[in-house]
Amino acid sequence: MRLCVVFAVLFFVEAVIGQFATVRMKSVVVKDDEEDDDFVATEEWQTVKKGQSVPSGLHVRLNLETGETEAKLLDPSERPGATAVAPVYDEAAKDENSDITENKERIRESILNIESVEDSITTEEDIERVRKRFRSYDELKKKFEELNLNIKTDLELLNELLAKFRASELKEDEGEDELIAILTDLEYMVHQVDNAKEFVQAGGILEILPLLNATSPRLRSVAAHLLGSAAQSNPRVQIALLEAGALPALVRAVALDTDPTVRSRTLFALSCLIRNFPIAQAQFVTEGGLSGLAELFAGGDSHDKLKLQLKVATLLQDLLQERTDALMAEDKQREERIRQYEQAGLEAHLSEQGWCRRVVQLLASQAQVPAEGFNKVRRDDFSSAVSQEVPVLTHHDAVEKAAGAVLALARGPCQKEYRGNSRLISVINELRVWYSELASRETQPDGQYFSGLFELFDQLSIEVGIKTGTKDEL
């Protein structure tokens, strides 16, 4: 017979002393084919022989050295008391089992009493009523098929869109809307950096570049937008665009395209290509990029052209700030980065190609207020200064962008030209006095817009050599 040891509920583990482990047990029965007499306990430890029945209430332990079971009477301190473990019958569990049984019986009876649907449908009216309340299996199946969407990864979607673009072979006057829809979807996807890299890997740039010469301005516009979105803050795409010869095409489109939207989006793509990329900036200068941008300042002063001029001013300010940041950096690539910016030679070309004068002219044009509307503009400015509910006139944003570009040029390539420049000094003084007046009227603690503009012109005054004072002194 196999050795079978049954341990009762009452037990505890006593500390192991020496090479022994002791366990208090309620009852132990050791059965074997040998003798089956009862164990007689004393106050001393005795070996329990095989087949002996151990009464409950004894102290039992297992000798780890000999492997034998030993037992003795409990010491007075070990008598069961308030802390002794005793079996407890779970009345709540019994009640729960009883409830479950009753619930099963109740459910069984309810199922047996359910009326058959076929028995309840006896007339044509009943059939029609059921049809109105419930949809057929075929209808439900169709609905579930519609809901079973085919989930695809971004890479699969990107490749699918490129495949559609390549397979379309549409003429620009046939299916242009469909082609624009594909390009728009691609533009949305390449905002994600990894998707843009996959776009390059799949040869997307070479597919899209020819569209910059399309006869449709809509196609030219969406193609430029797509290339700019892919290149934005993405060095791998910037390198791919440069290697693909995109820069001359973008410069040409900015300079010569007659559509304002195409020009704006092409300028966006060009700026995304050359920002934080001194090697591209060097090619931009070599390819006549500054001359191309200068075309935006020629001719009339339309609203569309003004928007483009301000974007160019902001771009130049950012490019100059990049070089300043490179000089201030302390990382390992500092020397190499400075060398690349110096090799680009942007500052020297800005001075040589008349950009110092061009940006000052832009600032002066925004400082002028027509005589017939002078009083109204001043009233609106005062109102926006004292109340945040009155919007700031849009021309202040133009002034801020133009002044920021002038300040960047004054600290760099145009420093000598701006010192003592009477026209520039006159414009700065006029705007500085006006913004000082508006700043003094600002009452909102978290809306100090005009104060910021006053500080900007205060810095400009210092750069061009104007003696400055505080707002109160003015």
Side-chain angles (χ1 to χ4, degrees):
M1 180 184 298
R2 295 180 180 178
L3 181 62
C4 176
V5 181
V6 180
F7 296 96
V9 176
L10 182 63
F11 69 93
F12 67 93
V13 179
E14 187 177 78
V16 178
I17 303 175
Q19 295 179 337
F20 294 90
T22 63
V23 180
R24 187 177 73 187
M25 310 179 66
K26 186 173 182 180
S27 64
V28 179
V29 178
V30 182
K31 294 184 178 180
D32 209 322
D33 294 336
E34 300 180 9
E35 51 185 312
D36 192 13
D37 54 346
D38 293 334
F39 175 79
V40 179
T42 64
E43 294 183 352
E44 300 295 332
W45 289 107
Q46 298 183 70
T47 301
V48 180
K49 298 179 181 178
K50 294 183 178 180
Q52 286 187 321
S53 176
V54 180
S56 61
L58 299 183
H59 195 159
V60 181
R61 75 180 183 185
L62 179 65
N63 190 322
L64 297 179
E65 184 177 17
T66 63
E68 295 178 341
T69 302
E70 300 176 346
K72 70 169 185 173
L73 294 173
L74 291 174
D75 296 334
S77 61
E78 298 175 327
R79 302 294 181 188
T83 60
V85 180
V88 177
Y89 298 98
D90 193 346
E91 297 294 336
K94 291 199 298 182
D95 293 340
E96 183 179 348
N97 292 334
S98 176
D99 292 341
I100 292 173
T101 304
E102 292 178 4
N103 288 335
K104 286 182 179 179
E105 291 297 328
R106 194 179 303 112
I107 293 171
R108 181 172 176 276
E109 292 177 2
S110 299
I111 292 174
L112 293 175
N113 292 331
I114 292 177
E115 181 181 3
S116 172
V117 175
E118 294 180 357
D119 295 339
S120 63
I121 302 176
T122 57
T123 64
E124 291 293 333
E125 293 179 357
D126 293 334
I127 295 174
E128 188 64 26
R129 173 174 52 82
V130 172
R131 284 177 178 173
K132 289 181 179 180
R133 291 185 58 191
F134 303 100
R135 285 179 288 184
S136 67
Y137 172 75
D138 291 334
E139 290 176 327
L140 291 173
K141 183 178 179 181
K142 185 178 179 180
K143 278 291 182 185
F144 280 116
E145 287 177 352
E146 292 175 357
L147 293 174
N148 186 20
L149 302 177
N150 186 16
I151 301 175
K152 298 178 181 179
T153 64
D154 281 358
L155 178 59
E156 291 172 337
L157 290 172
L158 188 68
N159 289 331
E160 185 178 292
L161 288 170
L162 285 173
K164 286 182 180 179
F165 174 80
R166 291 162 182 157
S168 63
E169 297 181 356
L170 299 171
K171 295 181 180 179
E172 293 176 20
D173 58 345
E174 298 179 7
E176 181 180 307
D177 290 341
E178 182 180 348
L179 190 56
I180 288 176
I182 294 172
L183 295 174
T184 303
D185 289 340
L186 281 170
E187 188 275 331
Y188 174 79
M189 293 200 67
V190 297
H191 277 283
Q192 211 279 335
V193 174
D194 292 333
N195 289 344
K197 293 177 181 177
E198 293 295 341
F199 174 73
V200 171
Q201 189 70 24
I205 288 178
L206 297 177
E207 300 280 352
I208 303 302
L209 265 179
L211 291 179
L212 293 177
N213 298 318
T215 57
S216 168
R218 294 174 64 204
L219 282 176
R220 298 199 302 272
S221 173
V222 73
H225 195 201
L226 169 57
L227 294 175
S229 298
Q232 195 168 28
S233 302
N234 198 326
R236 184 174 297 183
V237 181
Q238 289 176 299
I239 293 171
L241 278 171
L242 192 66
E243 293 176 345
L247 197 146
L250 292 173
V251 170
R252 184 168 55 252
V254 169
L256 303 177
D257 205 298
T258 57
D259 187 274
T261 304
V262 175
R263 271 185 157 181
S264 177
R265 289 190 168 180
T266 307
L267 179 59
F268 162 71
L270 180 62
S271 65
C272 290
L273 171 57
I274 66 176
R275 285 178 191 269
N276 296 300
F277 194 6
I279 295 177
Q281 292 174 24
Q283 185 174 340
F284 168 73
V285 171
T286 304
E287 296 285 345
L290 290 175
S291 299
L293 296 182
E295 292 295 324
L296 299 176
F297 290 77
D301 296 326
S302 65
H303 177 69
D304 290 330
K305 186 161 284 190
L306 173 62
K307 288 171 60 178
L308 292 171
Q309 292 170 356
L310 292 172
K311 287 183 178 181
V312 171
T314 302
L315 173 60
L316 296 180
Q317 179 184 355
D318 291 344
L319 295 179
L320 292 171
Q321 186 61 46
E322 282 180 24
R323 188 176 185 281
T324 302
D325 293 342
L327 292 172
M328 300 294 292
E330 297 294 340
D331 55 11
K332 296 180 180 179
Q333 291 78 30
R334 178 178 180 273
E335 297 299 328
E336 174 61 21
R337 194 179 296 112
I338 292 174
R339 186 190 66 79
Q340 291 181 5
Y341 278 111
E342 289 178 348
Q343 193 173 34
L346 178 64
E347 291 193 350
H349 284 84
L350 285 172
S351 178
E352 293 171 2
Q353 297 185 29
W355 281 97
C356 300
R357 172 189 51 79
R358 200 171 283 119
V359 177
V360 169
Q361 184 177 350
L362 175 62
L363 175 61
S365 68
Q366 298 310 299
Q368 296 173 358
V369 179
E372 61 273 13
F374 183 85
N375 293 331
K376 182 180 183 305
V377 170
R378 291 305 187 240
R379 283 198 306 270
D380 291 342
D381 282 346
F382 283 134
S383 298
S384 60
V386 300
S387 174
Q388 287 186 320
E389 296 180 0
V390 179
V392 176
L393 295 179
T394 55
H395 82 274
H396 292 295
D397 179 64
V399 170
E400 182 178 13
K401 290 177 179 177
V406 171
L407 181 61
L409 290 167
R411 289 172 172 171
C414 304
Q415 187 176 21
K416 291 182 179 180
E417 185 172 338
Y418 285 171
R419 281 278 176 174
N421 186 311
S422 59
R423 186 184 183 191
L424 177 58
I425 290 174
S426 175
V427 172
I428 292 174
N429 279 333
E430 181 182 348
L431 290 172
R432 184 167 174 268
V433 170
W434 179 237
Y435 285 124
S436 172
E437 177 69 20
L438 294 176
S440 66
R441 294 171 181 262
E442 283 185 311
T443 57
Q444 304 296 330
D446 54 347
Q448 303 293 316
Y449 177 73
F450 292 115
S451 295
L453 283 174
F454 171 77
E455 292 174 3
L456 173 60
F457 281 96
D458 210 36
Q459 295 176 33
L460 261 176
S461 300
I462 296 172
E463 295 297 335
V464 300
I466 302 174
K467 185 178 179 181
T468 61
T470 65
K471 288 183 290 186
D472 295 335
E473 291 174 344
L474 294 173

